[in-house]
Amino acid sequence: MPRNSLPFQHPPRRLCILRLSAIGDVTHMVPVTASLKASWPGTDLTWVVGRMEHRLLAGLPGVRFVVFDKKAGVAGYRALWRELAGQRFDALVHAQVSMRANLASLGIRAGVRLGYDSARSKDLHGLCVDHRIPPAAGQHVLDSFFSFAETLGAAQRRLEWNIPVSEADEAFAADALPGDGPVLVISPCSSHELRNWLPDRYARVADHAARAHGFRVVLCGGPSHSERAMGGAIETAMETPAVNLVGKDTLKQLLAMLRRASLVISPDSGPMHMATAAGTPVIGLHAASNPDRSGPYLSRRWCVNRYDDAARQFLGRPAGELPWGTKIEKPGVMELIGVEDVVERIDAFVAAGMPRATPS
């Protein structure tokens, strides 16, 4: 099989994906693995991934994981390269442009090294690849990931998330969310605090959902001090009861709970995209980021979108004039989203019959 031309005319024997982080992005990559396996069921698939992200993806069918520990510094790179020593892949899907990922890629031997087009490259990414996906304006992140598979020649798009959870994880979710009534999960924090909404506004929205529509409200998040503080502030400000599980669940347990939820409210975050993987609709809160690029893939119609307002107020020009992917992480940007904006989306979702998030 020729190793220097794309698309492949015959199924490759061994492929490697390099996507280390973050939770939302590795969740986007899961349908790509499903597409690759559907097109080339006999191909061995290896994925180099971050340690925390592997906690969510562990057990993904048909994928061998090689875990990279970014906290280990230079030792982490050496351990990765030792594990991959002596292995050669027909192609490397280099789907991350960070300097960390570019350095990690140097220890991966592959006949074809497929990366991003020049417009989306940075941190010397172009020096680490010899083929590029086609340029594309205005792509959602998940669609850009599909471009890797399609450039290789895997034409079958499979919008499937088959991330496994254990019976113990399912039992945790069942205990946390007993009964059959509608459940609203609020995951209030993103990886960047300037993308977070205000706790009193979350509380007012949660109270409306509980009183007007009978939702049971569950607060979820990681164990960091800031996330626990946010969860506590929301719970304190609410007038109706809530189940506060912030810092009390694992990623797999969270995924199991998201599968049982009726609706999720979240800023641009990993749990937003995990909810999409679980088939649960998301009201995404977008002012700091563009929902057309990084919003919940199957729920963009439910999003609150104040990105253009933010662009005009904080950057002095409309969103359409900004480079694609521009973040507007400015103090006060999320205050552009009002309680009434989110209440309207909740009411519209309920009026529509609370549909699940499924591919159209």
Side-chain angles (χ1 to χ4, degrees), residues 184-191 195-197 202 205 220-221 227 254 258 263-276 281-287 289 291 294-296 302-304 334 337 342:
L184 169 64
V185 170
I186 296 178
S187 181
C189 294
S190 77
S191 59
R195 292 185 218 159
N196 295 345
W197 206 31
Y202 277 122
V205 163
C220 291
E227 289 176 274
L254 174 59
L258 292 173
L263 179 65
V264 173
I265 296 176
S266 178
D268 188 353
S269 67
M272 166 188 287
H273 304 300
M274 289 173 61
T276 298
V282 184
I283 295 177
L285 307 181
H286 290 269
S289 61
S294 59
W302 302 120
C303 287
V304 177
M334 293 298 286
I337 298 174
V342 185

Side-chain angles (χ1 to χ4, degrees), residues 42-64:
T43 297
D44 291 333
L45 190 59
T46 297
W47 185 343
V48 180
V49 72
R51 185 176 64 174
M52 181 179 68
E53 291 75 11
H54 181 250
R55 294 172 187 166
L56 172 64
L57 301 177
L60 189 68
V63 179
R64 178 179 75 96

Side-chain angles (χ1 to χ4, degrees), residues 114-128:
L114 178 61
Y116 282 100
D117 56 284
S118 57
R120 288 178 280 192
S121 295
K122 64 179 182 179
D123 291 342
L124 305 179
H125 180 76
L127 298 179
C128 302

Side-chain angles (χ1 to χ4, degrees), residues 11-29:
R13 291 166 297 176
R14 306 181 71 213
L15 289 180
C16 181
I17 293 171
L18 175 62
R19 182 72 215 191
L20 302 175
S21 60
I23 292 295
D25 289 317
V26 300
T27 303
H28 289 323
M29 187 58 76

Side-chain angles (χ1 to χ4, degrees), residues 184-188 197-212 215-219 229-242 265 285 337-340 342-343 346:
L184 169 64
V185 170
I186 296 178
S187 181
W197 206 31
L198 285 73
D200 63 302
R201 297 188 188 184
Y202 277 122
R204 289 162 64 190
V205 163
D207 284 336
H208 172 80
R211 289 168 173 161
F215 280 99
R216 290 174 294 155
V217 177
V218 180
L219 307 177
M230 173 70 86
I234 295 170
E235 186 178 18
T236 298
M238 285 181 62
E239 297 177 355
T240 56
I265 296 176
L285 307 181
I337 298 174
V339 171
E340 66 280 1
V342 185
V343 164
I346 293 172

Side-chain angles (χ1 to χ4, degrees), residues 283-302:
I283 295 177
L285 307 181
H286 290 269
S289 61
N290 186 349
D292 291 330
R293 179 186 179 274
S294 59
Y297 193 74
L298 299 177
S299 300
R300 280 171 280 176
R301 66 171 171 147
W302 302 120

Side-chain angles (χ1 to χ4, degrees), residues 22-90:
I23 292 295
D25 289 317
V26 300
T27 303
H28 289 323
M29 187 58 76
V30 171
V32 179
T33 68
S35 301
L36 291 168
K37 297 301 291 187
S39 296
W40 299 320
T43 297
D44 291 333
L45 190 59
T46 297
W47 185 343
V48 180
V49 72
R51 185 176 64 174
M52 181 179 68
E53 291 75 11
H54 181 250
R55 294 172 187 166
L56 172 64
L57 301 177
L60 189 68
V63 179
R64 178 179 75 96
F65 287 101
V66 176
V67 179
F68 173 73
D69 184 1
K70 66 181 182 181
K71 294 183 178 180
V74 173
Y77 293 101
R78 290 174 176 166
L80 171 65
W81 296 337
R82 280 197 303 271
E83 185 163 354
L84 294 172
Q87 301 180 47
R88 184 174 179 85
F89 301 94
D90 295 305

